[in-house]
Amino acid sequence: MFSTDKNIETIGQLIKLIKHNIGLQNEYLRLDIMDKTVRIITALLLFAVLTLIVIAILFFLSLSAALAMGQAIGYPAAFGIVAAFYIIIFILFVAFRKSWIERPLIRFITSLLLE
């Protein structure tokens, strides 16, 4: 095969296009990582805010339930019943943590990362 100026020019253009393509792929990778990072941070912040709201709601509902029961059975017993209810919920969460917490969380994070 004979080397001509046209072949050398074509190879030069090909190398230039390959370098440009690699640069675009790097830029796409950076943007993809940034997008996934922002999604995860947003999901964590949303989870934190919703958790605080749910905690506040549960606190006031527990207090009102204990005060309502306290008039009938006495305040120490009423607060003990509310505490026992939360202990039972805690035990259930510990017993079923894989199916209730870990698996859904893993599915959610992988769905965010694989988009």
Side-chain angles (χ1 to χ4, degrees):
M1 183 185 281
F2 299 106
S3 176
T4 64
D5 288 340
K6 178 117 173 125
N7 287 344
I8 293 173
E9 184 179 322
T10 304
I11 292 173
Q13 288 176 350
L14 182 63
I15 291 172
K16 186 178 178 183
L17 286 174
I18 289 172
K19 286 181 180 179
H20 180 68
N21 189 18
I22 290 172
L24 288 176
Q25 286 178 349
N26 286 338
E27 184 69 22
Y28 174 75
L29 184 62
R30 275 190 254 138
L31 290 174
D32 190 44
I33 289 171
M34 186 185 312
D35 177 55
K36 290 178 181 181
T37 303
V38 167
R39 285 177 187 243
I40 289 174
I41 291 171
T42 302
L44 288 173
L45 288 174
L46 180 63
F47 178 75
V49 168
L50 291 177
T51 300
L52 289 174
I53 291 171
V54 167
I55 287 172
I57 290 170
L58 286 175
F59 174 74
F60 286 112
L61 285 175
S62 300
L63 187 62
S64 63
L67 291 175
M69 286 188 296
Q71 295 173 352
I73 61 173
Y75 291 106
F79 281 100
I81 290 171
V82 171
F85 173 74
Y86 282 115
I87 289 171
I88 291 170
I89 289 177
F90 175 75
I91 291 170
L92 287 173
F93 268 99
V94 169
F96 296 107
R97 70 182 174 273
K98 286 194 185 277
S99 62
W100 290 357
I101 299 169
E102 289 178 13
R103 287 186 194 133
L105 188 60
I106 289 170
R107 277 193 296 258
F108 175 70
I109 291 174
T110 54
S111 71
L112 281 179
L113 293 176
L114 293 177
E115 283 184 2

mmCIF file of all heavy atoms in Angstrom, residues 59-107:
data_model
loop_
_atom_site.group_PDB
_atom_site.id
_atom_site.type_symbol
_atom_site.label_atom_id
_atom_site.label_comp_id
_atom_site.label_asym_id
_atom_site.label_seq_id
_atom_site.Cartn_x
_atom_site.Cartn_y
_atom_site.Cartn_z
ATOM 1 N N PHE A 59 -44.816 11.422 68.162
ATOM 2 C CA PHE A 59 -44.655 11.935 69.523
ATOM 3 C C PHE A 59 -45.966 12.516 70.036
ATOM 4 O O PHE A 59 -46.429 12.181 71.140
ATOM 5 C CB PHE A 59 -43.546 12.987 69.564
ATOM 6 C CG PHE A 59 -43.413 13.657 70.894
ATOM 7 C CD1 PHE A 59 -42.842 13.002 71.970
ATOM 8 C CD2 PHE A 59 -43.886 14.950 71.080
ATOM 9 C CE1 PHE A 59 -42.739 13.622 73.201
ATOM 10 C CE2 PHE A 59 -43.785 15.579 72.298
ATOM 11 C CZ PHE A 59 -43.210 14.908 73.371
ATOM 12 N N PHE A 60 -46.589 13.376 69.239
ATOM 13 C CA PHE A 60 -47.823 14.018 69.701
ATOM 14 C C PHE A 60 -48.993 13.024 69.763
ATOM 15 O O PHE A 60 -49.829 13.109 70.665
ATOM 16 C CB PHE A 60 -48.166 15.220 68.828
ATOM 17 C CG PHE A 60 -47.263 16.391 69.101
ATOM 18 C CD1 PHE A 60 -46.356 16.811 68.153
ATOM 19 C CD2 PHE A 60 -47.308 17.062 70.314
ATOM 20 C CE1 PHE A 60 -45.511 17.889 68.408
ATOM 21 C CE2 PHE A 60 -46.473 18.135 70.576
ATOM 22 C CZ PHE A 60 -45.564 18.545 69.615
ATOM 23 N N LEU A 61 -49.046 12.090 68.823
ATOM 24 C CA LEU A 61 -50.102 11.079 68.902
ATOM 25 C C LEU A 61 -49.922 10.179 70.120
ATOM 26 O O LEU A 61 -50.899 9.827 70.788
ATOM 27 C CB LEU A 61 -50.118 10.234 67.621
ATOM 28 C CG LEU A 61 -50.696 10.899 66.383
ATOM 29 C CD1 LEU A 61 -50.538 9.990 65.171
ATOM 30 C CD2 LEU A 61 -52.159 11.262 66.594
ATOM 31 N N SER A 62 -48.677 9.815 70.423
ATOM 32 C CA SER A 62 -48.412 8.986 71.600
ATOM 33 C C SER A 62 -48.762 9.724 72.880
ATOM 34 O O SER A 62 -49.360 9.157 73.803
ATOM 35 C CB SER A 62 -46.938 8.580 71.640
ATOM 36 O OG SER A 62 -46.598 7.850 70.505
ATOM 37 N N LEU A 63 -48.391 10.973 72.933
ATOM 38 C CA LEU A 63 -48.700 11.774 74.113
ATOM 39 C C LEU A 63 -50.206 11.923 74.301
ATOM 40 O O LEU A 63 -50.724 11.748 75.413
ATOM 41 C CB LEU A 63 -48.035 13.149 73.994
ATOM 42 C CG LEU A 63 -48.108 14.052 75.207
ATOM 43 C CD1 LEU A 63 -47.390 13.408 76.390
ATOM 44 C CD2 LEU A 63 -47.495 15.404 74.891
ATOM 45 N N SER A 64 -50.916 12.187 73.222
ATOM 46 C CA SER A 64 -52.369 12.344 73.355
ATOM 47 C C SER A 64 -53.040 11.012 73.691
ATOM 48 O O SER A 64 -53.999 10.980 74.471
ATOM 49 C CB SER A 64 -52.963 12.936 72.074
ATOM 50 O OG SER A 64 -52.765 12.064 70.995
ATOM 51 N N ALA A 65 -52.542 9.909 73.143
ATOM 52 C CA ALA A 65 -53.116 8.602 73.476
ATOM 53 C C ALA A 65 -52.863 8.262 74.942
ATOM 54 O O ALA A 65 -53.761 7.772 75.644
ATOM 55 C CB ALA A 65 -52.525 7.520 72.576
ATOM 56 N N ALA A 66 -51.665 8.535 75.423
ATOM 57 C CA ALA A 66 -51.353 8.240 76.831
ATOM 58 C C ALA A 66 -52.180 9.122 77.760
ATOM 59 O O ALA A 66 -52.664 8.647 78.802
ATOM 60 C CB ALA A 66 -49.870 8.439 77.086
ATOM 61 N N LEU A 67 -52.335 10.375 77.402
ATOM 62 C CA LEU A 67 -53.143 11.263 78.247
ATOM 63 C C LEU A 67 -54.608 10.861 78.229
ATOM 64 O O LEU A 67 -55.304 10.952 79.254
ATOM 65 C CB LEU A 67 -52.967 12.720 77.805
ATOM 66 C CG LEU A 67 -51.594 13.331 78.081
ATOM 67 C CD1 LEU A 67 -51.496 14.727 77.485
ATOM 68 C CD2 LEU A 67 -51.313 13.354 79.568
ATOM 69 N N ALA A 68 -55.104 10.408 77.071
ATOM 70 C CA ALA A 68 -56.502 9.974 76.992
ATOM 71 C C ALA A 68 -56.721 8.702 77.813
ATOM 72 O O ALA A 68 -57.728 8.575 78.524
ATOM 73 C CB ALA A 68 -56.896 9.747 75.538
ATOM 74 N N MET A 69 -55.774 7.755 77.719
ATOM 75 C CA MET A 69 -55.906 6.520 78.506
ATOM 76 C C MET A 69 -55.641 6.777 79.988
ATOM 77 O O MET A 69 -56.163 6.070 80.852
ATOM 78 C CB MET A 69 -54.916 5.459 78.006
ATOM 79 C CG MET A 69 -55.288 4.831 76.688
ATOM 80 S SD MET A 69 -54.224 3.443 76.263
ATOM 81 C CE MET A 69 -52.632 4.214 76.078
ATOM 82 N N GLY A 70 -54.837 7.786 80.282
ATOM 83 C CA GLY A 70 -54.469 8.078 81.663
ATOM 84 C C GLY A 70 -55.644 8.431 82.532
ATOM 85 O O GLY A 70 -55.648 8.139 83.730
ATOM 86 N N GLN A 71 -56.649 9.051 81.966
ATOM 87 C CA GLN A 71 -57.824 9.408 82.751
ATOM 88 C C GLN A 71 -58.595 8.168 83.189
ATOM 89 O O GLN A 71 -59.234 8.163 84.235
ATOM 90 C CB GLN A 71 -58.728 10.333 81.938
ATOM 91 C CG GLN A 71 -58.088 11.671 81.641
ATOM 92 C CD GLN A 71 -58.925 12.518 80.686
ATOM 93 O OE1 GLN A 71 -59.900 12.065 80.129
ATOM 94 N NE2 GLN A 71 -58.504 13.773 80.511
ATOM 95 N N ALA A 72 -58.521 7.114 82.386
ATOM 96 C CA ALA A 72 -59.289 5.903 82.701
ATOM 97 C C ALA A 72 -58.490 4.910 83.542
ATOM 98 O O ALA A 72 -59.037 4.308 84.480
ATOM 99 C CB ALA A 72 -59.748 5.227 81.412
ATOM 100 N N ILE A 73 -57.194 4.718 83.217
ATOM 101 C CA ILE A 73 -56.437 3.665 83.904
ATOM 102 C C ILE A 73 -55.271 4.191 84.723
ATOM 103 O O ILE A 73 -54.540 3.420 85.334
ATOM 104 C CB ILE A 73 -55.909 2.620 82.897
ATOM 105 C CG1 ILE A 73 -54.961 3.266 81.878
ATOM 106 C CG2 ILE A 73 -57.030 1.903 82.194
ATOM 107 C CD1 ILE A 73 -54.277 2.268 80.966
ATOM 108 N N GLY A 74 -55.067 5.464 84.729
ATOM 109 C CA GLY A 74 -53.949 6.050 85.465
ATOM 110 C C GLY A 74 -52.812 6.376 84.506
ATOM 111 O O GLY A 74 -52.542 5.647 83.557
ATOM 112 N N TYR A 75 -52.151 7.474 84.801
ATOM 113 C CA TYR A 75 -51.119 7.955 83.880
ATOM 114 C C TYR A 75 -49.893 7.051 83.784
ATOM 115 O O TYR A 75 -49.392 6.822 82.672
ATOM 116 C CB TYR A 75 -50.729 9.393 84.240
ATOM 117 C CG TYR A 75 -51.850 10.363 83.955
ATOM 118 C CD1 TYR A 75 -52.596 10.913 84.992
ATOM 119 C CD2 TYR A 75 -52.181 10.696 82.661
ATOM 120 C CE1 TYR A 75 -53.641 11.784 84.740
ATOM 121 C CE2 TYR A 75 -53.222 11.566 82.382
ATOM 122 C CZ TYR A 75 -53.947 12.111 83.422
ATOM 123 O OH TYR A 75 -54.971 12.956 83.165
ATOM 124 N N PRO A 76 -49.388 6.504 84.883
ATOM 125 C CA PRO A 76 -48.223 5.613 84.735
ATOM 126 C C PRO A 76 -48.529 4.382 83.869
ATOM 127 O O PRO A 76 -47.720 3.994 83.023
ATOM 128 C CB PRO A 76 -47.881 5.202 86.161
ATOM 129 C CG PRO A 76 -48.433 6.295 87.012
ATOM 130 C CD PRO A 76 -49.665 6.766 86.304
ATOM 131 N N ALA A 77 -49.692 3.787 84.051
ATOM 132 C CA ALA A 77 -50.072 2.617 83.258
ATOM 133 C C ALA A 77 -50.265 2.995 81.788
ATOM 134 O O ALA A 77 -49.874 2.247 80.885
ATOM 135 C CB ALA A 77 -51.338 1.988 83.809
ATOM 136 N N ALA A 78 -50.840 4.147 81.547
ATOM 137 C CA ALA A 78 -51.081 4.579 80.173
ATOM 138 C C ALA A 78 -49.763 4.812 79.431
ATOM 139 O O ALA A 78 -49.584 4.372 78.289
ATOM 140 C CB ALA A 78 -51.921 5.853 80.162
ATOM 141 N N PHE A 79 -48.825 5.488 80.092
ATOM 142 C CA PHE A 79 -47.528 5.708 79.458
ATOM 143 C C PHE A 79 -46.771 4.382 79.302
ATOM 144 O O PHE A 79 -46.029 4.208 78.333
ATOM 145 C CB PHE A 79 -46.705 6.733 80.241
ATOM 146 C CG PHE A 79 -47.118 8.144 79.957
ATOM 147 C CD1 PHE A 79 -47.946 8.834 80.843
ATOM 148 C CD2 PHE A 79 -46.687 8.793 78.818
ATOM 149 C CE1 PHE A 79 -48.341 10.130 80.585
ATOM 150 C CE2 PHE A 79 -47.071 10.096 78.541
ATOM 151 C CZ PHE A 79 -47.902 10.769 79.424
ATOM 152 N N GLY A 80 -46.977 3.454 80.220
ATOM 153 C CA GLY A 80 -46.373 2.129 80.096
ATOM 154 C C GLY A 80 -46.935 1.360 78.906
ATOM 155 O O GLY A 80 -46.195 0.660 78.201
ATOM 156 N N ILE A 81 -48.226 1.481 78.664
ATOM 157 C CA ILE A 81 -48.848 0.811 77.515
ATOM 158 C C ILE A 81 -48.309 1.386 76.206
ATOM 159 O O ILE A 81 -47.991 0.653 75.265
ATOM 160 C CB ILE A 81 -50.386 0.925 77.585
ATOM 161 C CG1 ILE A 81 -50.919 0.064 78.729
ATOM 162 C CG2 ILE A 81 -51.039 0.537 76.267
ATOM 163 C CD1 ILE A 81 -52.392 0.263 79.018
ATOM 164 N N VAL A 82 -48.186 2.705 76.145
ATOM 165 C CA VAL A 82 -47.638 3.334 74.936
ATOM 166 C C VAL A 82 -46.190 2.900 74.725
ATOM 167 O O VAL A 82 -45.780 2.565 73.603
ATOM 168 C CB VAL A 82 -47.755 4.877 75.014
ATOM 169 C CG1 VAL A 82 -47.000 5.542 73.884
ATOM 170 C CG2 VAL A 82 -49.212 5.293 74.996
ATOM 171 N N ALA A 83 -45.409 2.838 75.794
ATOM 172 C CA ALA A 83 -44.020 2.389 75.685
ATOM 173 C C ALA A 83 -43.951 0.929 75.243
ATOM 174 O O ALA A 83 -43.117 0.566 74.404
ATOM 175 C CB ALA A 83 -43.303 2.575 77.011
ATOM 176 N N ALA A 84 -44.824 0.079 75.774
ATOM 177 C CA ALA A 84 -44.857 -1.334 75.382
ATOM 178 C C ALA A 84 -45.205 -1.474 73.897
ATOM 179 O O ALA A 84 -44.640 -2.329 73.193
ATOM 180 C CB ALA A 84 -45.857 -2.098 76.241
ATOM 181 N N PHE A 85 -46.109 -0.630 73.428
ATOM 182 C CA PHE A 85 -46.470 -0.640 72.005
ATOM 183 C C PHE A 85 -45.241 -0.344 71.140
ATOM 184 O O PHE A 85 -44.984 -1.036 70.154
ATOM 185 C CB PHE A 85 -47.584 0.392 71.761
ATOM 186 C CG PHE A 85 -47.916 0.584 70.307
ATOM 187 C CD1 PHE A 85 -48.639 -0.377 69.617
ATOM 188 C CD2 PHE A 85 -47.504 1.721 69.645
ATOM 189 C CE1 PHE A 85 -48.949 -0.194 68.274
ATOM 190 C CE2 PHE A 85 -47.810 1.911 68.309
ATOM 191 C CZ PHE A 85 -48.541 0.944 67.623
ATOM 192 N N TYR A 86 -44.452 0.657 71.526
ATOM 193 C CA TYR A 86 -43.255 0.993 70.752
ATOM 194 C C TYR A 86 -42.175 -0.084 70.884
ATOM 195 O O TYR A 86 -41.427 -0.327 69.931
ATOM 196 C CB TYR A 86 -42.707 2.356 71.154
ATOM 197 C CG TYR A 86 -43.512 3.472 70.548
ATOM 198 C CD1 TYR A 86 -44.250 4.343 71.340
ATOM 199 C CD2 TYR A 86 -43.552 3.657 69.180
ATOM 200 C CE1 TYR A 86 -45.000 5.356 70.784
ATOM 201 C CE2 TYR A 86 -44.305 4.664 68.606
ATOM 202 C CZ TYR A 86 -45.027 5.510 69.420
ATOM 203 O OH TYR A 86 -45.774 6.513 68.845
ATOM 204 N N ILE A 87 -42.110 -0.758 72.006
ATOM 205 C CA ILE A 87 -41.152 -1.858 72.156
ATOM 206 C C ILE A 87 -41.535 -3.008 71.232
ATOM 207 O O ILE A 87 -40.671 -3.609 70.580
ATOM 208 C CB ILE A 87 -41.078 -2.309 73.634
ATOM 209 C CG1 ILE A 87 -40.379 -1.232 74.462
ATOM 210 C CG2 ILE A 87 -40.348 -3.645 73.757
ATOM 211 C CD1 ILE A 87 -40.431 -1.470 75.953
ATOM 212 N N ILE A 88 -42.818 -3.293 71.125
ATOM 213 C CA ILE A 88 -43.276 -4.351 70.217
ATOM 214 C C ILE A 88 -42.966 -3.982 68.770
ATOM 215 O O ILE A 88 -42.493 -4.817 67.984
ATOM 216 C CB ILE A 88 -44.783 -4.623 70.416
ATOM 217 C CG1 ILE A 88 -45.011 -5.266 71.779
ATOM 218 C CG2 ILE A 88 -45.346 -5.489 69.293
ATOM 219 C CD1 ILE A 88 -46.471 -5.359 72.185
ATOM 220 N N ILE A 89 -43.209 -2.740 68.390
ATOM 221 C CA ILE A 89 -42.883 -2.283 67.028
ATOM 222 C C ILE A 89 -41.388 -2.398 66.773
ATOM 223 O O ILE A 89 -40.954 -2.838 65.698
ATOM 224 C CB ILE A 89 -43.390 -0.851 66.798
ATOM 225 C CG1 ILE A 89 -44.912 -0.843 66.707
ATOM 226 C CG2 ILE A 89 -42.789 -0.258 65.526
ATOM 227 C CD1 ILE A 89 -45.522 0.520 66.562
ATOM 228 N N PHE A 90 -40.571 -2.036 67.752
ATOM 229 C CA PHE A 90 -39.117 -2.136 67.613
ATOM 230 C C PHE A 90 -38.685 -3.588 67.399
ATOM 231 O O PHE A 90 -37.862 -3.884 66.530
ATOM 232 C CB PHE A 90 -38.430 -1.544 68.848
ATOM 233 C CG PHE A 90 -36.945 -1.703 68.839
ATOM 234 C CD1 PHE A 90 -36.148 -0.922 68.021
ATOM 235 C CD2 PHE A 90 -36.336 -2.660 69.645
ATOM 236 C CE1 PHE A 90 -34.784 -1.077 68.006
ATOM 237 C CE2 PHE A 90 -34.966 -2.824 69.643
ATOM 238 C CZ PHE A 90 -34.184 -2.031 68.815
ATOM 239 N N ILE A 91 -39.257 -4.496 68.181
ATOM 240 C CA ILE A 91 -38.916 -5.919 68.047
ATOM 241 C C ILE A 91 -39.320 -6.436 66.672
ATOM 242 O O ILE A 91 -38.575 -7.194 66.033
ATOM 243 C CB ILE A 91 -39.566 -6.735 69.185
ATOM 244 C CG1 ILE A 91 -38.897 -6.381 70.517
ATOM 245 C CG2 ILE A 91 -39.480 -8.234 68.911
ATOM 246 C CD1 ILE A 91 -39.612 -6.948 71.728
ATOM 247 N N LEU A 92 -40.494 -6.023 66.180
ATOM 248 C CA LEU A 92 -40.922 -6.432 64.840
ATOM 249 C C LEU A 92 -39.970 -5.912 63.764
ATOM 250 O O LEU A 92 -39.631 -6.630 62.818
ATOM 251 C CB LEU A 92 -42.347 -5.952 64.571
ATOM 252 C CG LEU A 92 -43.457 -6.694 65.301
ATOM 253 C CD1 LEU A 92 -44.793 -6.009 65.072
ATOM 254 C CD2 LEU A 92 -43.501 -8.141 64.856
ATOM 255 N N PHE A 93 -39.531 -4.647 63.895
ATOM 256 C CA PHE A 93 -38.597 -4.093 62.920
ATOM 257 C C PHE A 93 -37.264 -4.821 62.941
ATOM 258 O O PHE A 93 -36.663 -5.052 61.896
ATOM 259 C CB PHE A 93 -38.382 -2.593 63.154
ATOM 260 C CG PHE A 93 -39.306 -1.739 62.362
ATOM 261 C CD1 PHE A 93 -40.448 -1.219 62.942
ATOM 262 C CD2 PHE A 93 -39.045 -1.451 61.038
ATOM 263 C CE1 PHE A 93 -41.313 -0.427 62.218
ATOM 264 C CE2 PHE A 93 -39.904 -0.666 60.297
ATOM 265 C CZ PHE A 93 -41.044 -0.152 60.880
ATOM 266 N N VAL A 94 -36.795 -5.192 64.126
ATOM 267 C CA VAL A 94 -35.533 -5.934 64.213
ATOM 268 C C VAL A 94 -35.708 -7.324 63.600
ATOM 269 O O VAL A 94 -34.837 -7.803 62.868
ATOM 270 C CB VAL A 94 -35.047 -6.019 65.678
ATOM 271 C CG1 VAL A 94 -33.900 -6.995 65.824
ATOM 272 C CG2 VAL A 94 -34.638 -4.638 66.174
ATOM 273 N N ALA A 95 -36.827 -7.973 63.861
ATOM 274 C CA ALA A 95 -37.058 -9.323 63.355
ATOM 275 C C ALA A 95 -37.215 -9.347 61.833
ATOM 276 O O ALA A 95 -36.721 -10.257 61.170
ATOM 277 C CB ALA A 95 -38.284 -9.932 64.022
ATOM 278 N N PHE A 96 -37.894 -8.346 61.280
ATOM 279 C CA PHE A 96 -38.171 -8.321 59.846
ATOM 280 C C PHE A 96 -37.375 -7.233 59.114
ATOM 281 O O PHE A 96 -37.808 -6.745 58.079
ATOM 282 C CB PHE A 96 -39.667 -8.106 59.605
ATOM 283 C CG PHE A 96 -40.518 -9.218 60.128
ATOM 284 C CD1 PHE A 96 -41.284 -9.039 61.274
ATOM 285 C CD2 PHE A 96 -40.551 -10.442 59.491
ATOM 286 C CE1 PHE A 96 -42.069 -10.061 61.761
ATOM 287 C CE2 PHE A 96 -41.341 -11.469 59.977
ATOM 288 C CZ PHE A 96 -42.100 -11.280 61.112
ATOM 289 N N ARG A 97 -36.198 -6.876 59.618
ATOM 290 C CA ARG A 97 -35.433 -5.771 59.040
ATOM 291 C C ARG A 97 -34.999 -6.041 57.607
ATOM 292 O O ARG A 97 -34.948 -5.124 56.803
ATOM 293 C CB ARG A 97 -34.236 -5.423 59.907
ATOM 294 C CG ARG A 97 -33.148 -6.454 59.917
ATOM 295 C CD ARG A 97 -32.011 -6.058 60.843
ATOM 296 N NE ARG A 97 -31.036 -7.110 60.957
ATOM 297 C CZ ARG A 97 -31.086 -8.112 61.817
ATOM 298 N NH1 ARG A 97 -32.098 -8.163 62.671
ATOM 299 N NH2 ARG A 97 -30.165 -9.038 61.838
ATOM 300 N N LYS A 98 -34.721 -7.291 57.276
ATOM 301 C CA LYS A 98 -34.292 -7.592 55.904
ATOM 302 C C LYS A 98 -35.413 -7.344 54.905
ATOM 303 O O LYS A 98 -35.207 -6.700 53.893
ATOM 304 C CB LYS A 98 -33.788 -9.027 55.793
ATOM 305 C CG LYS A 98 -32.436 -9.223 56.406
ATOM 306 C CD LYS A 98 -31.858 -10.547 55.970
ATOM 307 C CE LYS A 98 -30.565 -10.818 56.672
ATOM 308 N NZ LYS A 98 -29.432 -10.192 56.067
ATOM 309 N N SER A 99 -36.598 -7.836 55.190
ATOM 310 C CA SER A 99 -37.695 -7.691 54.237
ATOM 311 C C SER A 99 -38.336 -6.305 54.288
ATOM 312 O O SER A 99 -38.860 -5.840 53.278
ATOM 313 C CB SER A 99 -38.743 -8.766 54.460
ATOM 314 O OG SER A 99 -39.308 -8.654 55.742
ATOM 315 N N TRP A 100 -38.325 -5.643 55.436
ATOM 316 C CA TRP A 100 -38.975 -4.341 55.555
ATOM 317 C C TRP A 100 -38.054 -3.174 55.245
ATOM 318 O O TRP A 100 -38.522 -2.130 54.786
ATOM 319 C CB TRP A 100 -39.538 -4.149 56.953
ATOM 320 C CG TRP A 100 -40.727 -5.003 57.279
ATOM 321 C CD1 TRP A 100 -41.361 -5.872 56.446
ATOM 322 C CD2 TRP A 100 -41.407 -5.057 58.516
ATOM 323 N NE1 TRP A 100 -42.385 -6.481 57.104
ATOM 324 C CE2 TRP A 100 -42.443 -6.006 58.378
ATOM 325 C CE3 TRP A 100 -41.241 -4.421 59.729
ATOM 326 C CZ2 TRP A 100 -43.321 -6.301 59.398
ATOM 327 C CZ3 TRP A 100 -42.117 -4.736 60.762
ATOM 328 C CH2 TRP A 100 -43.146 -5.659 60.594
ATOM 329 N N ILE A 101 -36.754 -3.316 55.544
ATOM 330 C CA ILE A 101 -35.855 -2.174 55.425
ATOM 331 C C ILE A 101 -34.744 -2.422 54.402
ATOM 332 O O ILE A 101 -34.586 -1.653 53.452
ATOM 333 C CB ILE A 101 -35.248 -1.818 56.796
ATOM 334 C CG1 ILE A 101 -36.352 -1.434 57.777
ATOM 335 C CG2 ILE A 101 -34.250 -0.676 56.663
ATOM 336 C CD1 ILE A 101 -35.908 -1.313 59.208
ATOM 337 N N GLU A 102 -33.969 -3.488 54.589
ATOM 338 C CA GLU A 102 -32.773 -3.686 53.777
ATOM 339 C C GLU A 102 -33.086 -3.922 52.301
ATOM 340 O O GLU A 102 -32.521 -3.252 51.437
ATOM 341 C CB GLU A 102 -31.941 -4.847 54.326
ATOM 342 C CG GLU A 102 -31.253 -4.520 55.633
ATOM 343 C CD GLU A 102 -30.476 -5.699 56.195
ATOM 344 O OE1 GLU A 102 -30.263 -6.687 55.465
ATOM 345 O OE2 GLU A 102 -30.086 -5.624 57.370
ATOM 346 N N ARG A 103 -33.960 -4.851 51.989
ATOM 347 C CA ARG A 103 -34.256 -5.151 50.583
ATOM 348 C C ARG A 103 -34.877 -3.973 49.849
ATOM 349 O O ARG A 103 -34.448 -3.653 48.738
ATOM 350 C CB ARG A 103 -35.135 -6.397 50.488
ATOM 351 C CG ARG A 103 -34.371 -7.662 50.801
ATOM 352 C CD ARG A 103 -35.216 -8.897 50.558
ATOM 353 N NE ARG A 103 -34.567 -10.051 51.180
ATOM 354 C CZ ARG A 103 -35.166 -10.940 51.940
ATOM 355 N NH1 ARG A 103 -36.453 -10.815 52.195
ATOM 356 N NH2 ARG A 103 -34.498 -11.931 52.460
ATOM 357 N N PRO A 104 -35.899 -3.304 50.412
ATOM 358 C CA PRO A 104 -36.428 -2.135 49.693
ATOM 359 C C PRO A 104 -35.392 -1.019 49.520
ATOM 360 O O PRO A 104 -35.350 -0.365 48.478
ATOM 361 C CB PRO A 104 -37.595 -1.661 50.576
ATOM 362 C CG PRO A 104 -37.994 -2.842 51.355
ATOM 363 C CD PRO A 104 -36.740 -3.623 51.570
ATOM 364 N N LEU A 105 -34.539 -0.839 50.522
ATOM 365 C CA LEU A 105 -33.506 0.186 50.420
ATOM 366 C C LEU A 105 -32.490 -0.168 49.343
ATOM 367 O O LEU A 105 -32.089 0.693 48.552
ATOM 368 C CB LEU A 105 -32.814 0.359 51.771
ATOM 369 C CG LEU A 105 -31.835 1.516 51.899
ATOM 370 C CD1 LEU A 105 -32.537 2.840 51.651
ATOM 371 C CD2 LEU A 105 -31.194 1.507 53.262
ATOM 372 N N ILE A 106 -32.091 -1.419 49.278
ATOM 373 C CA ILE A 106 -31.159 -1.858 48.238
ATOM 374 C C ILE A 106 -31.787 -1.700 46.859
ATOM 375 O O ILE A 106 -31.135 -1.223 45.922
ATOM 376 C CB ILE A 106 -30.718 -3.309 48.496
ATOM 377 C CG1 ILE A 106 -29.804 -3.364 49.717
ATOM 378 C CG2 ILE A 106 -30.010 -3.902 47.288
ATOM 379 C CD1 ILE A 106 -29.505 -4.760 50.195
ATOM 380 N N ARG A 107 -33.046 -2.080 46.710
ATOM 381 C CA ARG A 107 -33.730 -1.912 45.415
ATOM 382 C C ARG A 107 -33.803 -0.444 45.023
ATOM 383 O O ARG A 107 -33.599 -0.089 43.861
ATOM 384 C CB ARG A 107 -35.135 -2.513 45.478
ATOM 385 C CG ARG A 107 -35.169 -4.004 45.240
ATOM 386 C CD ARG A 107 -36.594 -4.463 44.994
ATOM 387 N NE ARG A 107 -37.423 -4.250 46.181
ATOM 388 C CZ ARG A 107 -37.770 -5.189 47.020
ATOM 389 N NH1 ARG A 107 -37.405 -6.428 46.828
ATOM 390 N NH2 ARG A 107 -38.518 -4.915 48.073
#
